[in-house]
Amino acid sequence: MIRVGIAGYGNLGRGVESALRDAEDMETVGVFTRRNPASVKTATGIPVYAWSDAENMRGKIDVMILCGGSANDLPTQTAELAAYFNVVDSFDTHAKIPEHFEQVDAVSRAHGKISVISVGWDPGLFSLNRLYGQAILPNGKDYTFWGKGVSQGHSDAIRRIPGVKDGKQYTIPVEEALERVRSGENPELSTREKHTRECFVVAEDGADKAAIETAIKAMPNYFADYDTTVHFISQEELDRDHAGIPHGGVVFRTGTTGLSGEQKHVVEYKIQLDSNPGFTSSILVAFARAAYRMQNDGLTGCKTIFDIAPAYLHPSSPEDQRKSLL
Amino acid sequence: MIRVGIAGYGNLGRGVESALRDAEDMETVGVFTRRNPASVKTATGIPVYAWSDAENMRGKIDVMILCGGSANDLPTQTAELAAYFNVVDSFDTHAKIPEHFEQVDAVSRAHGKISVISVGWDPGLFSLNRLYGQAILPNGKDYTFWGKGVSQGHSDAIRRIPGVKDGKQYTIPVEEALERVRSGENPELSTREKHTRECFVVAEDGADKAAIETAIKAMPNYFADYDTTVHFISQEELDRDHAGIPHGGVVFRTGTTGLSGEQKHVVEYKIQLDSNPGFTSSILVAFARAAYRMQNDGLTGCKTIFDIAPAYLHPSSPEDQRKSLL
């Protein structure tokens, strides 16, 4: 059994706790938290340790899965824990991946461990489909659409507007754009043509709703480049109808082959998720298996989904994989 | 530049010849044929060599791509050429993959080379999606649909019926079945519920068309378990409307996460191909790049798509991949 620890216990940590129960070859050692351990109660009753206890668990945990956020937690936590364990994180600040990679790689190499960073679906499975698509159809174009799903960043941006009590934002791919790509047309699509944004807003009592709507729609980077709709609803409606964290998206690669590019091909990878953290945590668990096995094979250092042979992810042996999956 | 040879010059060999022109880091050495080389004229003017010359090209070719058939060619040819070169083949007889793997692996290891077998889309990219799907959503089910596309085996079966002059068969996924899977319903689907078969048949003059139709529909394994439609058309119509070799298909993984399986997820990988050999040969070329790089990294032996880190397939460096693709 692969012994796994969970560092951080928010939505993602709870998802990993659940996903580990579905992994036949893994056992959960416990949760590590920077809060007071006595204040944290886990959903399945697994033990809770203080963050500072992690160092003393060297040799008792094969892989630590980091479940913190990319903005404030992972930039320091992954490298910290990489000194003691094989680690897996979901660092998703695309622009800072090279820097994060270098930092974590140095620690993992120095300690003979494996680290896997930026695991999830984007970065992650979507990246993988962009890479396979480009490698196989060099004469082509790729398209990434996100949604329909909740964007945490955009929801936060809404909630920072004066007069807004609560709110949630859905990113929605434009169906017509999807169909144009699917048809093999290879369109050039503007930001506005690819996605729309839908906001559900709870206003404070007496707030100026028209001013809120204008403030949302005019917000640069977040909303100004999109067709945005704003719905004002009650807190009860928000809690009842928008409690989930669904998400999804599509990666396309369209391209041509043949001596004069006469053969068109369309490759489409699409996900529809009831729960973004539920799915992401399941991916993290599969890559924890890979991290453990790679270290057993004598490998060290930082890896991304691009560097990991798919066989490492699946619980069955390479022989069984060739027999029943290939 | 990676120097690549093409062993066999049918539809697939011509596709590889074309795909190699799109690979910026590869150059084509030539075609090897068991026919009289003087009788073979290549589409792009690349040289044609006798099969027996291959052995003398050791050191002048980095990877040989085998373009023969799985029934009669690859079972002997891949192992033969694996003694001289890194090799890539598209062996697709699923049941015989383990045996083929063992045989080719022994030769490649003995000669310090890499071989990659069963490259294509099924086995190949579809297998990969089955593996990732199972690894990430262990509580789930996968579904593979083929088509709409031409099945060579079924077309051959039609042409063997007395009174049939020519014919082509399309495998078509049942739209309702696709929708049921997409909805997350996790249906149990019979063979008949998943695919239909459509046949375009040219009858010989005076042949009994009703008897031909009955013979097709009753053919065990090939047609008896399916809803099959038969259209009689002229040779001119067949040549005009059915000259291409389109294909495609979908792999789904549907599954649940959450402590009580309350979160449903649907992952869909779909391809639509104008030309089956055009797409397959592009995949072969990407894996030729991987074979060359893996041998450069000191690896040897037989690999499948499961054993190859995705980074090996893409022409850009791992640093650039992390920066622009992840």
Side-chain angles (χ1 to χ4, degrees):
Chain A
M1 297 293 270
I2 306 171
R3 300 162 302 170
V4 181
I6 302 170
Y9 197 65
N11 282 332
L12 204 56
R14 279 188 288 272
V16 168
E17 177 186 17
S18 174
L20 283 167
R21 302 210 311 177
D22 295 331
E24 60 193 30
D25 54 349
M26 298 187 175
E27 63 187 27
T28 311
V29 176
V31 162
F32 294 81
T33 180
R34 287 178 305 175
R35 291 178 269 168
N36 172 7
S39 74
V40 175
K41 200 175 145 23
T42 57
T44 64
I46 53 168
V48 181
Y49 300 95
W51 190 270
S52 54
D53 288 338
E55 184 175 352
N56 305 320
M57 300 289 276
R58 270 185 281 198
K60 292 177 184 157
I61 290 174
D62 297 310
V63 189
M64 186 73 91
I65 301 180
L66 286 102
C67 298
S70 295
N72 302 314
D73 303 326
L74 301 177
T76 55
Q77 291 179 0
T78 306
E80 178 195 344
L81 296 177
Y84 316 133
F85 312 106
N86 299 309
V87 294
V88 180
D89 81 17
S90 62
F91 185 77
D92 66 359
T93 312
H94 288 261
K96 292 188 177 168
I97 287 173
E99 181 188 331
H100 188 58
F101 182 94
E102 294 303 331
Q103 189 199 3
V104 175
D105 187 53
V107 179
S108 293
R109 280 189 197 283
H111 293 86
K113 304 287 186 193
I114 286 281
S115 44
V116 189
I117 62 158
S118 302
V119 168
W121 56 272
D122 197 357
L125 299 176
F126 275 21
S127 321
L128 201 62
N129 277 279
R130 289 188 285 262
L131 184 145
Y132 279 111
Q134 290 187 9
I136 288 164
L137 292 174
N139 277 342
K141 218 164 142 51
D142 48 49
Y143 299 86
T144 302
F145 292 87
W146 297 275
K148 181 179 177 173
V150 173
S151 163
Q152 217 53 59
H154 289 79
S155 300
D156 290 345
I158 291 173
R159 288 190 290 258
R160 285 193 296 265
I161 293 173
V164 171
K165 189 180 163 202
D166 204 349
K168 208 145 189 182
Q169 192 268 181
Y170 294 88
T171 305
I172 305 170
V174 175
E175 200 55 47
E176 190 205 338
L178 294 175
E179 283 311 318
R180 288 177 64 191
V181 175
R182 251 178 219 128
S183 75
E185 187 194 316
N186 275 4
E188 291 292 336
L189 295 168
S190 67
T191 299
R192 190 177 300 274
E193 286 173 313
K194 287 183 72 184
H195 296 93
T196 57
R197 300 198 176 277
E198 189 170 21
C199 309
F200 293 87
V201 180
V202 181
E204 286 169 358
D205 285 345
D208 180 345
K209 291 183 180 173
I212 291 173
E213 182 164 343
T214 303
I216 292 174
K217 290 185 172 175
M219 201 184 297
N221 302 320
Y222 285 89
F223 293 100
D225 297 333
Y226 299 85
D227 290 334
T228 301
T229 53
V230 178
H231 308 280
F232 288 95
I233 60 175
S234 68
Q235 185 74 53
E236 292 67 40
E237 287 170 317
L238 190 79
D239 295 344
R240 185 190 66 207
D241 302 334
H242 303 281
I245 316 174
H247 221 311
V250 194
V251 174
F252 288 99
R253 180 74 183 178
T254 60
T256 58
T257 61
L259 284 175
S260 50
E262 70 277 15
Q263 301 153 353
K264 285 204 293 190
H265 310 290
V266 179
V267 180
E268 174 174 355
Y269 181 79
K270 183 179 180 186
I271 61 175
Q272 299 164 254
L273 314 175
D274 267 3
S275 163
N276 191 355
F279 189 68
T280 300
S281 54
S282 288
I283 307 173
L284 285 165
V285 166
F287 280 86
R289 175 181 296 119
Y292 171 79
R293 289 173 166 182
M294 292 174 91
Q295 196 212 9
N296 274 358
D297 279 356
L299 301 168
T300 63
C302 190
K303 313 289 172 191
T304 74
I305 195 168
F306 295 157
D307 308 308
I308 297 176
Y312 280 118
L313 299 168
H314 194 282
S316 72
S317 70
E319 292 73 21
D320 286 342
Q321 291 173 14
R322 283 193 291 275
K323 211 170 159 182
S324 62
L325 277 170
L326 197 60
Chain B
M1 297 294 271
I2 306 171
R3 300 163 302 172
V4 181
I6 302 170
Y9 198 64
N11 282 333
L12 204 56
R14 278 188 289 271
V16 169
E17 177 186 17
S18 174
L20 282 167
R21 303 210 310 176
D22 295 331
E24 59 193 32
D25 54 349
M26 298 187 175
E27 63 187 26
T28 312
V29 176
V31 162
F32 294 81
T33 180
R34 287 178 304 177
R35 291 178 269 168
N36 172 8
S39 74
V40 175
K41 199 173 148 22
T42 56
T44 63
I46 53 169
V48 180
Y49 299 95
W51 191 269
S52 55
D53 288 337
E55 185 175 352
N56 305 321
M57 300 289 276
R58 270 185 282 196
K60 294 178 183 157
I61 290 174
D62 297 310
V63 190
M64 185 73 91
I65 300 180
L66 286 102
C67 298
S70 296
N72 301 314
D73 303 325
L74 301 177
T76 56
Q77 290 178 0
T78 307
E80 178 195 343
L81 296 178
Y84 315 134
F85 311 106
N86 298 309
V87 294
V88 180
D89 82 16
S90 62
F91 185 77
D92 66 0
T93 312
H94 288 261
K96 293 189 177 167
I97 286 173
E99 181 188 331
H100 188 56
F101 182 93
E102 294 303 332
Q103 190 199 4
V104 175
D105 187 53
V107 179
S108 293
R109 280 188 198 283
H111 294 86
K113 304 287 185 193
I114 286 281
S115 44
V116 189
I117 63 159
S118 302
V119 168
W121 55 274
D122 198 357
L125 299 176
F126 275 20
S127 321
L128 200 62
N129 278 278
R130 289 188 286 261
L131 184 145
Y132 279 110
Q134 290 187 8
I136 288 163
L137 292 174
N139 277 341
K141 220 165 140 51
D142 48 48
Y143 298 86
T144 302
F145 291 88
W146 296 276
K148 183 179 177 175
V150 173
S151 163
Q152 217 52 61
H154 288 79
S155 300
D156 291 344
I158 291 173
R159 288 191 290 258
R160 285 193 296 265
I161 292 173
V164 171
K165 189 178 163 203
D166 204 349
K168 209 144 188 182
Q169 193 268 184
Y170 294 89
T171 305
I172 306 170
V174 175
E175 200 54 47
E176 191 206 339
L178 293 174
E179 284 310 319
R180 289 178 64 193
V181 175
R182 250 178 220 128
S183 76
E185 185 194 318
N186 275 5
E188 291 291 336
L189 295 168
S190 68
T191 299
R192 191 177 300 274
E193 286 172 313
K194 288 183 71 184
H195 297 94
T196 57
R197 300 198 175 277
E198 188 170 22
C199 309
F200 293 87
V201 180
V202 181
E204 286 169 359
D205 285 345
D208 180 345
K209 290 182 181 175
I212 291 172
E213 183 164 342
T214 303
I216 292 174
K217 291 184 173 177
M219 202 184 296
N221 303 319
Y222 285 89
F223 293 101
D225 297 333
Y226 299 85
D227 290 334
T228 301
T229 53
V230 178
H231 308 279
F232 288 95
I233 61 175
S234 68
Q235 186 72 55
E236 292 68 38
E237 287 170 316
L238 190 78
D239 295 344
R240 186 190 66 206
D241 302 333
H242 303 280
I245 316 175
H247 220 310
V250 194
V251 175
F252 289 98
R253 180 73 181 177
T254 60
T256 58
T257 61
L259 284 175
S260 50
E262 69 277 15
Q263 302 154 353
K264 285 203 293 191
H265 309 291
V266 179
V267 180
E268 174 174 353
Y269 181 79
K270 183 179 179 185
I271 61 174
Q272 299 165 253
L273 314 176
D274 267 3
S275 163
N276 190 355
F279 189 69
T280 299
S281 54
S282 289
I283 307 172
L284 284 165
V285 166
F287 280 86
R289 174 182 297 119
Y292 171 78
R293 289 172 165 183
M294 291 174 92
Q295 197 213 7
N296 274 358
D297 279 356
L299 300 169
T300 63
C302 189
K303 312 290 172 191
T304 74
I305 195 167
F306 295 157
D307 309 308
I308 298 177
Y312 280 119
L313 299 168
H314 194 281
S316 72
S317 70
E319 291 74 21
D320 285 342
Q321 291 173 16
R322 282 192 292 274
K323 210 168 159 182
S324 63
L325 277 170
L326 195 60

